[in-house]
Amino acid sequence: MGGCVSVSSSNNGDRVSSSCLNTRSNARRRKKRSLSGRITTLQHLSHIPNRIFTNGKSKTSCIFTQQGRKGVNQDSMLVWEDFDSEDAIFCGVFDGHGPHGHLVSRKVRDTLPSKLLSFLHSQESKGNRSNINCFTRKSKLDEGNSERGISTEDQLSSKWKEAFLKSYKSMDKELRSHPSLDCFCSGSTAVTIVKQGLNLFMGSIGDSRAILGSRDNNDTMVAVQLTVDLKPDLPKEAERIKRCKGRVFALQDEPEVCRVWLPFDDAPGLAMARAFGDFCLKDYGVISIPEFSHRVLTEMDQFVVLASDGVWDVLSNEEVVEIVSTAPTRSSAARILVDAAAREWKLKYPTSKMDDCAVVCMYLDGKMDNESDLEDQGICVATNQNYSSCTATESDEGHNGEPTLRRNYTVRSAEDSDPNNRIQIEIEEKQNTVNATSEDQNWSGLEGLTRVNSLVQLPRFSGEKLNS
């Protein structure tokens, strides 16, 4: 029968009541059922309430993406409210590169948050098992942590850091072993943030960026950069890559863009030091370990902006904060920011192909304005109902097997990279993408001064072994 044990004795003589044991036991069962239900729900991501991944808005955020002039939109984004609890929000922007970059970024978008939750719950389960006694034992544990200078905030940060590191590692491992998605010369960046109460936990790889819009003592909006663009020319990144026999240098026609190259070939020219996928460079210094950081919010902090490098290449942090803070409505801020970036691309780099842009704007006060006519904005709203109107059919289809490298002095077109036409080009948001001409639909090569291509030179895929 349930409550036959009335008293339990611990090693140090502490006595724990049966009501305490029953409360802990019931809590474990409820948590187990809750976690089981969550994992079941994750199999139907597009129908999870308060989760949006196409142009639209939620209760606290707005998101928008626009295709550039290089072909299929390789950027993905996500806002997931009620992520781990009612006060937790997950936000992420993922910028794919390479011939299958759009598939990689979508795969990461759909899988990484679930992995983060799984590892977080795994840690909590271990913690619950280790604390057999409650109340008195917990108070003594807290006293011991206080004596060692370990605050509750530090413990929380350490828990999230471990979850971020393990989930990123697991994500890259899954991509490597994926049966159909070819990530040998394709990959994705990631900038991810979890807001839990007044805490921001951040993990990022690549050159997508997150900033904070805050007010200073003079009530002026200022920009605070939250993440670091992990480029190959950063001293720590360059040292690691060179130590692993990779090469870091810039091309003559774009001296400001350092890239990572194989030791034996001028390929592939990856413009970032960390990324998911890109397994042709993983033995030569490119890693998928995220930079983790933790920030405690104050009442002066207003919003967070996450964006792919298509925005940061033409707009400064201060300009982005100014645009978002002066947007006529909160729900239109992401779209207005993308429009501003598109205009700057035409002005600053008229001979270049505009990069894809993706933006997430999350307002820290948890409020979103109401608009009378959402259809005029071209956005869909995340509610607790079915998301069929916001979803798009996607495919993770790719190539089987890991190819070898062969010397190639040109950038392949989409037809060259997929001779059997096995990759279906998909556009997630038809109403809000730029209409590209037929020649721009291919994954094409350099045109004049072409900037910030993630890969300038892609080796051909071949069944033959690399000639020594």
Side-chain angles (χ1 to χ4, degrees):
M1 301 297 291
C4 59
V5 179
S6 59
V7 175
S8 175
S9 177
S10 62
N11 293 336
N12 60 4
D14 293 333
R15 299 173 68 86
V16 184
S17 67
S18 60
S19 61
C20 174
L21 291 174
N22 290 334
T23 301
R24 291 181 57 81
S25 178
N26 292 336
R28 287 195 202 100
R29 285 196 294 268
R30 286 195 300 269
K31 187 174 185 64
K32 186 175 181 180
R33 287 195 298 266
S34 176
L35 178 58
S36 176
R38 174 71 66 120
I39 293 175
T40 301
T41 305
L42 292 178
Q43 300 174 0
H44 308 282
L45 289 172
S46 61
H47 302 289
I48 294 179
N50 301 319
R51 178 185 181 276
I52 56 173
F53 59 93
T54 57
N55 294 354
K57 75 167 188 175
S58 65
K59 293 182 296 185
T60 64
S61 311
C62 60
I63 64 177
F64 195 88
T65 185
Q66 179 172 296
Q67 178 185 346
R69 304 290 291 179
K70 298 178 182 179
V72 62
N73 190 347
Q74 296 188 307
D75 287 359
S76 300
M77 57 199 177
L78 175 68
V79 169
W80 186 345
E81 296 174 348
D82 302 333
F83 178 59
D84 181 49
S85 58
E86 291 184 357
D87 65 339
I89 304 173
F90 177 94
C91 296
V93 167
F94 313 95
D95 183 1
H97 51 262
H100 308 147
H102 59 299
L103 300 178
V104 180
S105 69
R106 293 171 186 174
K107 180 66 176 178
V108 174
R109 176 198 67 193
D110 293 340
T111 307
L112 181 63
S114 305
K115 290 183 177 292
L116 186 61
L117 269 183
S118 177
F119 283 111
L120 187 67
H121 290 156
S122 176
Q123 290 183 62
E124 293 174 349
S125 298
K126 291 179 181 178
N128 290 335
R129 289 196 300 268
S130 64
N131 295 328
I132 300 176
N133 299 320
C134 60
F135 301 141
T136 57
R137 186 68 176 267
K138 183 177 185 300
S139 63
K140 292 186 177 182
L141 182 63
D142 290 342
E143 290 175 2
N145 289 334
S146 299
E147 292 176 358
R148 294 192 299 270
I150 303 176
S151 65
T152 303
E153 181 179 301
D154 291 336
Q155 294 178 53
L156 186 63
S157 179
S158 177
K159 180 183 71 172
W160 277 102
K161 180 178 182 179
E162 184 177 354
F164 268 94
L165 293 176
K166 287 184 176 180
S167 60
Y168 271 64
K169 181 179 180 180
S170 177
M171 183 73 252
D172 207 46
K173 183 178 180 180
E174 180 174 334
L175 289 173
R176 183 185 286 272
S177 60
H178 198 284
S180 59
L181 182 55
D182 182 4
C183 302
F184 192 61
C185 285
S186 297
S188 176
T189 71
V191 55
T192 54
I193 286 182
V194 174
K195 177 185 177 293
Q196 187 177 46
L198 293 178
N199 294 287
L200 280 185
F201 304 102
M202 295 158 281
S204 64
I205 56 176
D207 53 6
S208 296
R209 185 189 308 170
I211 66 170
L212 174 69
S214 185
R215 294 191 180 277
D216 60 14
N217 294 331
N218 298 322
D219 202 36
T220 303
M221 288 298 302
V222 295
V224 179
Q225 186 163 328
L226 298 175
T227 61
V228 177
D229 298 352
L230 296 168
K231 300 280 193 178
D233 56 344
L234 291 179
K236 183 175 69 172
E237 304 299 308
E239 180 183 358
R240 182 190 67 250
I241 293 169
K242 293 176 182 178
R243 190 169 60 247
C244 296
K245 309 302 180 183
R247 296 181 297 159
V248 178
F249 63 86
L251 298 175
Q252 292 183 355
D253 57 354
E254 49 172 16
E256 72 282 5
V257 182
C258 282
R259 300 178 181 276
V260 185
W261 310 87
L262 291 167
F264 50 80
D265 200 351
D266 288 342
L270 183 66
M272 60 203 70
R274 305 190 193 189
F276 287 120
D278 295 306
F279 295 111
C280 66
L281 289 169
K282 283 293 165 71
D283 291 334
Y284 303 104
V286 173
I287 61 176
S288 59
I289 301 174
E291 282 285 300
F292 175 85
S293 59
H294 172 215
R295 182 184 181 93
V296 179
L297 298 170
T298 69
E299 60 182 8
M300 306 297 285
D301 301 326
Q302 305 297 306
F303 55 81
V304 173
V305 178
L306 290 73
S308 59
D309 64 335
V311 173
W312 306 116
D313 286 331
V314 293
L315 294 173
S316 67
N317 294 345
E318 292 73 22
E319 288 172 329
V320 168
V321 167
E322 174 68 17
I323 292 169
V324 173
S325 62
T326 58
T329 57
R330 288 188 170 189
S331 55
S332 65
R335 176 181 58 80
I336 290 175
L337 180 55
V338 171
D339 290 343
R343 289 193 298 270
E344 288 300 309
W345 270 95
K346 294 178 181 179
L347 292 174
K348 293 183 177 180
Y349 309 117
T351 62
S352 299
K353 289 185 176 181
M354 174 186 164
D355 200 3
D356 304 325
C357 296
V359 170
V360 171
C361 296
M362 177 177 62
Y363 291 92
L364 300 176
D365 59 6
K367 298 177 181 178
M368 181 63 67
D369 48 32
N370 295 319
E371 297 193 47
S372 58
D373 193 356
L374 294 177
E375 293 183 358
D376 290 344
Q377 296 285 342
I379 58 179
C380 61
V381 183
T383 64
N384 291 327
Q385 299 177 0
N386 191 299
Y387 281 79
S388 59
S389 62
C390 299
T391 59
T393 302
E394 296 179 350
S395 171
D396 287 337
E397 186 180 359
H399 290 284
N400 292 320
E402 184 173 284
T404 58
L405 297 175
R406 188 168 66 187
R407 186 83 173 187
N408 180 29
Y409 292 94
T410 60
V411 180
R412 297 177 303 152
S413 67
E415 295 178 355
D416 293 332
S417 64
D418 189 12
N420 296 321
N421 292 325
R422 298 178 62 194
I423 300 296
Q424 178 183 358
I425 303 301
E426 303 152 314
I427 306 301
E428 287 186 315
E429 189 61 36
K430 297 180 180 180
Q431 295 179 348
N432 299 307
T433 54
V434 175
N435 292 324
T437 60
S438 59
E439 65 178 1
D440 288 333
Q441 294 298 330
N442 290 332
W443 206 84
S444 57
L446 303 177
E447 266 192 13
L449 178 63
T450 305
R451 300 173 52 84
V452 299
N453 280 339
S454 297
L455 296 167
V456 294
Q457 205 172 54
L458 288 174
R460 294 183 180 276
F461 296 133
S462 172
E464 302 174 0
K465 294 184 178 180
L466 179 66
N467 296 326
S468 57

